[in-house]
Amino acid sequence: MEETQLFEHWNVWAKYITYAACAAAVLTLVGYLIKLASTTDFKNKYDFINKSEINTLWIASIALIVAGGFYANSFLSNDTITIILIVRLFTTISMGLIVGVVIRNLLKFYYPFYIEKRLKKLRYKPRISPKTGKAMKLLSEEEEDVYLDEGMQAEENIFSVDYDVWVDEETGYTKIEKYSGHLHALQCPECNYQTFRVEKEEIVSAPNTNEEGELIKFFACGYCGHKSKKSFKIAMLQEGDGKEDTATV
């Protein structure tokens, strides 16, 4: 009798845990989508997606895996013998780990291709001027230097930071957005996964006001281990110019 009640209690609580884990997964995703929808500024939305989306999906996936494991073991009866319980437990844990590894790899190696396209659209979507309500102009690399101080230009020259400068041509209002120079992984030329990242940077020769400098980037693939290096020219240093009404993000 006691054994029967034990299994009954287990089955009930296993179902409760299943429902709770499913609710946690749904709430995690819904909370993320609400936050994303309520973020109207394109740069803030870019940063939020880049920082949170993959982690949010991973947390929701873990909750669903836990829910599946408990649900699969919520139909035990007093006829179940010890060896079967051990086998069920081992099988559940093994399947959970396998599913977790598969999902983790999908989020790490495949999902970045999709998220990169969305982030690129957000980054270059026209900004609206708060002064006129009209679309602003995105300046080219050559045009934007006049709006960047010497420190900002130095950051761009060594590729640690990339700045986008948007200008309202009617009023002169300027918005400067800051992005990491090597924030996202590239597609590996060896395995074709988007896991090719900058491992380190080395300045061979520093730029000055008379000549360009040289920077070498060392790349490594987080999946297959492929490595390579590439040389970049660093623009000559320029003296800073005056700024107009500017907003920096």
Side-chain angles (χ1 to χ4, degrees):
M1 178 65 69
E2 291 182 359
E3 187 175 349
T4 300
Q5 290 180 340
L6 178 63
F7 281 120
E8 288 177 352
H9 286 309
W10 164 260
N11 291 338
V12 170
W13 280 103
K15 287 185 172 65
Y16 285 159
I17 294 173
T18 298
Y19 300 148
C22 287
V26 172
L27 289 175
T28 298
L29 293 174
V30 170
Y32 173 81
L33 293 175
I34 290 174
K35 175 65 175 176
L36 182 61
S38 64
T39 304
T40 56
D41 182 82
F42 294 140
K43 177 61 167 62
N44 291 339
K45 184 169 292 201
Y46 178 104
D47 291 337
F48 180 64
I49 291 174
N50 181 62
K51 179 181 179 181
S52 305
E53 184 155 308
I54 291 179
N55 286 336
T56 299
L57 292 175
W58 175 235
I59 292 171
S61 298
I62 292 176
L64 290 176
I65 291 172
V66 170
F70 276 95
Y71 182 76
N73 291 279
S74 63
F75 302 97
L76 302 181
S77 67
N78 58 339
D79 295 330
T80 306
I81 59 176
T82 303
I83 187 64
I84 295 179
L85 286 175
I86 295 174
V87 171
R88 285 181 70 111
L89 179 63
F90 176 79
T91 302
T92 301
I93 294 175
S94 298
M95 290 301 297
L97 290 174
I98 291 172
V99 173
V101 169
V102 170
I103 293 175
R104 189 61 176 170
N105 285 338
L106 288 174
L107 292 175
K108 184 177 181 179
F109 300 124
Y110 290 98
Y111 196 74
F113 286 97
Y114 168 69
I115 203 172
E116 187 72 24
K117 293 178 181 178
R118 292 168 56 209
L119 291 177
K120 188 174 182 179
K121 288 181 180 179
L122 282 173
R123 179 171 178 176
Y124 297 113
K125 197 167 185 177
R127 284 13 178 189
I128 302 300
S129 170
K131 304 288 187 179
T132 62
K134 298 180 180 179
M136 301 170 69
K137 176 186 177 183
L138 176 62
L139 301 184
S140 66
E141 291 292 329
E142 293 75 21
E143 295 173 321
E144 70 183 19
D145 283 347
V146 70
Y147 296 93
L148 305 178
D149 60 33
E150 290 185 359
M152 291 176 172
Q153 292 183 45
E155 287 178 316
E156 282 208 323
N157 288 340
I158 63 171
F159 304 96
S160 64
V161 171
D162 191 18
Y163 289 97
D164 286 350
V165 180
W166 297 85
V167 175
D168 181 344
E169 295 181 290
E170 286 188 21
T171 65
Y173 173 80
T174 305
K175 184 178 183 181
I176 300 175
E177 297 180 348
K178 182 178 181 180
Y179 298 88
S180 175
H182 45 78
L183 181 63
H184 304 295
L186 304 174
Q187 184 172 350
C188 176
E190 188 70 22
C191 66
N192 294 322
Y193 288 124
Q194 195 151 336
T195 50
F196 205 48
R197 295 182 181 273
V198 175
E199 196 171 50
K200 66 176 181 176
E201 297 175 346
E202 180 180 322
I203 298 178
V204 178
S205 58
N208 53 46
T209 54
N210 297 318
E211 60 182 13
E212 295 178 328
E214 183 181 2
L215 171 80
I216 295 180
K217 285 188 177 186
F218 296 85
F219 296 85
C221 177
Y223 181 73
C224 71
H226 175 69
K227 295 186 177 183
S228 69
K229 62 182 180 178
K230 187 175 181 181
S231 176
F232 295 86
K233 294 294 183 182
I234 304 177
M236 291 187 294
L237 299 181
Q238 300 178 8
E239 296 184 0
D241 294 318
K243 313 287 188 295
E244 299 184 45
D245 187 12
T246 303
T248 305
V249 181

